[in-house]
Amino acid sequence: MSLSLADGVSIAETDDGAVLLDERTGRYWRLNGSGARLLQALLAGRDTRQAALDAAAGATVPADRAARDAAGLVDKLRGAGLVTA
């Protein structure tokens, strides 16, 4: 899956993750560290499962849960109009 930020959405890294700004609405969306790593990996062209495993590296999260969490985050970002696939 190729994922990209929607037009008018920008990302800025923070000390503990990232913030997405939807310039169309002025709304900010905060991602924790693993969410930010996941999104960056997806934007770089990684598939969802591998991006999830990369984002969960160092955590004691089973691979199937990491993949479900990643899919859930992507669904939320799509639903908010922040990313396109």
Side-chain angles (χ1 to χ4, degrees):
M1 163 191 8
S2 176
L3 196 72
S4 60
L5 294 176
D7 289 339
V9 176
S10 58
I11 187 170
E13 292 184 26
T14 64
D15 289 339
D16 61 348
V19 174
L20 297 170
L21 168 61
D22 185 342
E23 298 167 9
R24 303 162 297 186
T25 64
R27 291 188 68 187
Y28 286 90
W29 301 78
R30 185 182 170 281
L31 297 175
N32 63 18
S34 60
R37 287 189 300 276
L38 173 70
L39 180 57
Q40 292 291 5
L42 292 169
L43 293 173
R46 304 294 297 263
D47 67 68
T48 305
R49 184 167 178 76
Q50 188 58 51
L53 295 175
D54 293 347
T60 56
V61 177
D64 60 331
R65 175 161 178 211
R68 282 193 314 272
D69 290 350
L73 177 61
V74 170
D75 287 345
K76 288 180 182 180
L77 294 172
R78 275 194 195 132
L82 299 172
V83 297
T84 60

